[in-house]
Amino acid sequence: MLPREASVSVSVTDNGIGMSPEAIDKAFEPYFTTRDTEGGAGLGLAIVYGFVRQSGGDVRIASQPGKGTVVELSFPA
Ligand SMILES: Nc1ncnc2c1ncn2[C@@H]1O[C@H](COP(=O)(O)OP(=O)(O)O)[C@@H](O)[C@H]1O
Ligand SMILES: [Mg+2]
């Protein structure tokens, strides 16, 4: 049997506008969006969070304004 810590991770990286620390803190909250004018619903990352946690995994954001964003999903193997 595999060790309990074995995990599979998937990360998505972009070179977009990045996120402030405040936006990172709130990003998984349902309906939090900074994209009202573009029609953002604020549900994308909330849904990702729910799916990952229900699967026993975790999701983390690393981002800096102007430098892009990495979202890493990790799941038990
Ligand atoms: N790849 C990204 N680059 C920069 N900011 C992001 C990115 N993904 C999410 N965000 C920030 O997190 C907020 C919440 O994201 P999300 O839940 O997908 O909702 P929405 O895209 O509808 O606004 C966004 O409004 C934006 O501020
Ligand atoms: Mg989105």
Side-chain angles (χ1 to χ4, degrees):
M1 192 162 132
L2 289 165
R4 224 175 134 51
E5 341 43 273
S7 67
V8 172
S9 67
V10 177
S11 73
V12 181
T13 302
D14 69 40
N15 58 0
I17 61 173
M19 297 169 69
S20 67
E22 295 74 23
I24 294 173
D25 280 348
K26 294 190 179 150
F28 296 121
E29 287 178 15
Y31 307 113
F32 172 79
T33 183
T34 59
R35 304 194 312 121
D36 299 289
T37 54
E38 296 117 87
L43 292 175
L45 287 172
I47 290 168
V48 168
Y49 183 83
F51 158 69
V52 171
R53 299 295 291 176
Q54 278 180 356
S55 306
D58 209 352
V59 52
R60 296 188 317 148
I61 297 172
S63 183
Q64 282 180 44
K67 298 207 168 161
T69 299
V70 182
V71 178
E72 180 176 33
L73 320 185
S74 60
F75 299 94

